[in-house]
Amino acid sequence: TEIYTLSLHDALPIWLAPYNMLVEILWNEFYDEVSPGEAEEKARVLLPECQAVFAKYHLNDHYADTPEYSILYTELAGIIQLLLEDGLQ
């Protein structure tokens, strides 16, 4: 019997990565503004607004392990901040 351990990123298809990244940013950076229970719904609303940012990066199954991940994370956090300040519902 072999036991395999998968991370959350390993277990999810790549097309879910942008949504999950938005949820992660909301949990980590905006916990005072967006409760954990609201983060998933807010990520669904944010996703179309952030598509242009995601389009600039070549996302793949190992993207979280690259230096570009932190650049994308920072850029998204800034855009989310602006959208929340503008009253994105």
Side-chain angles (χ1 to χ4, degrees):
T1 303
E2 294 183 39
I3 298 175
Y4 296 95
T5 303
L6 296 175
S7 73
L8 179 61
H9 291 288
D10 292 335
L12 297 171
I14 192 62
W15 62 268
L16 285 177
Y19 168 79
N20 289 329
M21 189 170 192
L22 293 174
V23 172
E24 177 183 353
I25 292 169
L26 290 167
W27 284 345
N28 293 340
E29 309 299 330
F30 299 97
Y31 54 86
D32 287 337
E33 294 92 351
V34 180
S35 73
E38 297 172 319
E40 291 182 6
E41 179 58 33
K42 189 68 73 175
R44 283 186 200 93
V45 174
L46 288 165
L47 189 57
E49 302 290 332
C50 296
Q51 285 299 337
V53 176
F54 283 113
K56 296 189 308 185
Y57 296 87
H58 179 68
L59 301 179
N60 60 48
D61 291 338
H62 304 288
Y63 191 76
D65 300 326
T66 68
E68 290 82 17
Y69 179 84
S70 67
I71 296 168
L72 173 58
Y73 185 102
T74 302
E75 187 173 352
L76 287 170
I79 288 179
I80 291 169
Q81 179 69 43
L82 292 173
L83 290 169
L84 292 175
E85 286 175 0
D86 286 344
L88 180 74
Q89 301 298 320

